[in-house]
Amino acid sequence: MSVLDELSTIETEVMAAVSGAADESALEAVRVAELGKKGRVSGLMKTLGGMSPEERQTAGPALNGLRDKLATAIAARKAELEMAALNQRLETEREDLTYRRSCSRRALLLDAGVRGVAAIFADMGFAVAEGPDIEDDFHNFTALNFPEGHPAREMHDTFFMKPDAEGRRKVLRTHTSPVQIRTMMNQKPPIRVIIPGRVYRKDWDATHTPMFHQIEGLVIDKSTHMGHLKSCLTEAFSRFFEVERAESRFRPHFFPFTEPSAEMDIRCDRSGKEIKVGEGDDWLEILGCGMVHPNVLRNCGLDPEEYQGFAFGLGVDRLAMLKYGMPDLRPYFEADVDWIKHYGFKPWLLPSVTGGLS
Ligand code: PHE
């Protein structure tokens, strides 16, 4: 058989082996057997030296051509196999990766809780209002009737920003109440808004994280009173906890920006493993509320002789803990897939009044 015939046989054979290689290691074996140091094609290259000049003139280019052709085919097949392996990995790991990313983000935002509560209030005719996370002293404290230097400011372990040129320090808002001020200054009553948002305090243990979520409510018109506050909140939380009626109780409390102020508890049963709302002999504190203080109305340019209303504020993270029976808040920030699965958060399930709350 002439050298050229032999080369053409080798080519057919190797090309078949290359396209038949099922994975990268099979392909590598073909490469080593042909083009490796001790490979068959490399061996033939070495015989060129012993050929006659005429023989070499045809065999040389043919051999070089074959070697290049095989090398190209092997590289192409390698790329193909790598792509297939990658696709297969993407296919099998796909669920985990997207699941983890979007779930952790969702858990971080506490969408289940925030959207659940927001959906209920939206259904009751509340609009959504928002404000900045970085607030000035006026909106976070002063306008809310926290006098300068008043110890009530210490109730919140505030994160302060570096002072500006005038020595004024902005804060990471310690509650969503500053958005009450922004709303009343920008909008004429009647006002009926809820304000979901992130808030910040220097705290870190099982039930406190330095960033958490509040939902604030504000209703201002000419005749709203404490009875409206009570019925509105009782109705909302009956829906949130999916019970016929969440019995509530209001304890006197103090907030500088409401008068009178109260904390709202709802009846629950803590004797079992899970907290059951709407039955039992225990009470669960869920929010702070009260009638908007006349000073606050005045600070926003509203006449307290004409306007009145109520406000409330609640910690969504805590509420979600109670609703889902979670002992610790910190995993919200850890994006642990097992934890996410355990509590059944699903990235594609958006809570609404009609579904996705439980
Ligand atoms: N802003 C208060 C807090 O963070 C809650 C609150 C809001 C109380 C509105 C009364 C009225 O503790």
Side-chain angles (χ1 to χ4, degrees), residues 156 174-175 177 180 201 214 216 255 257-258 288-290 311-313:
H156 301 178
T174 56
H175 50 175
S177 301
Q180 283 189 34
R201 293 182 199 176
Q214 285 190 336
E216 187 94 6
F255 298 105
F257 38 91
T258 44
C289 59
F312 61 88

Side-chain angles (χ1 to χ4, degrees), residues 99-259:
Y99 193 76
R100 184 181 179 116
R101 268 232 234 102
S102 51
C103 277
S104 63
R105 204 177 55 223
R106 202 160 285 297
L108 245 147
L109 286 171
L110 266 163
D111 265 15
V114 176
R115 283 177 192 261
V117 176
I120 289 167
F121 281 100
D123 192 52
M124 292 167 87
F126 284 66
V128 174
E130 283 180 321
D133 288 23
I134 298 175
E135 263 298 2
D136 50 33
D137 183 272
F138 174 77
H139 291 93
N140 199 79
F141 293 121
T142 308
L144 285 163
N145 202 34
F146 287 82
E148 210 85 54
H150 192 280
R153 290 186 182 222
E154 313 299 318
M155 272 163 60
H156 301 178
D157 293 305
T158 312
F159 286 110
F160 288 96
M161 312 298 275
K162 280 197 187 133
D164 64 12
E166 279 91 52
R168 281 183 306 236
R169 293 197 296 175
K170 289 209 169 177
V171 301
L172 286 176
R173 66 177 174 198
T174 56
H175 50 175
T176 39
S177 301
V179 189
Q180 283 189 34
I181 304 297
R182 292 181 178 277
T183 307
M184 286 187 274
M185 291 183 104
N186 289 314
Q187 204 175 307
K188 259 190 84 67
I191 292 171
R192 197 186 286 172
V193 290
I194 47 158
I195 304 151
R198 296 172 175 225
V199 300
Y200 307 82
R201 293 182 199 176
K202 279 187 249 173
D203 253 335
W204 179 252
D205 60 35
T207 54
H208 297 88
T209 51
M211 188 280 286
F212 59 103
H213 302 77
Q214 285 190 336
I215 288 194
E216 187 94 6
L218 177 70
V219 173
I220 303 285
D221 55 30
K222 296 188 174 170
S223 58
T224 289
H225 55 69
M226 205 76 187
H228 295 132
L229 164 65
K230 186 168 178 180
S231 61
C232 169
L233 292 178
T234 307
E235 167 67 18
F237 288 100
S238 302
R239 291 213 212 166
F240 183 73
F241 287 105
E242 298 165 274
V243 293
E244 192 57 42
R245 202 179 120 75
E247 196 188 329
S248 58
R249 146 180 116 170
F250 287 72
R251 275 176 298 103
H253 197 73
F254 171 78
F255 298 105
F257 38 91
T258 44
E259 182 57 38

Side-chain angles (χ1 to χ4, degrees), residues 18 34 77 100 111 125 201 231 252 271 277 328 346:
V18 167
E34 304 298 336
R77 179 70 184 146
R100 184 181 179 116
D111 265 15
R201 293 182 199 176
S231 61
S271 58
V277 168
D328 196 325
K346 294 194 178 69

Side-chain angles (χ1 to χ4, degrees), residues 53 55 81 87 150 262 297 357:
E55 262 184 325
L81 288 171
N87 280 336
H150 192 280
L297 292 169
L357 277 172

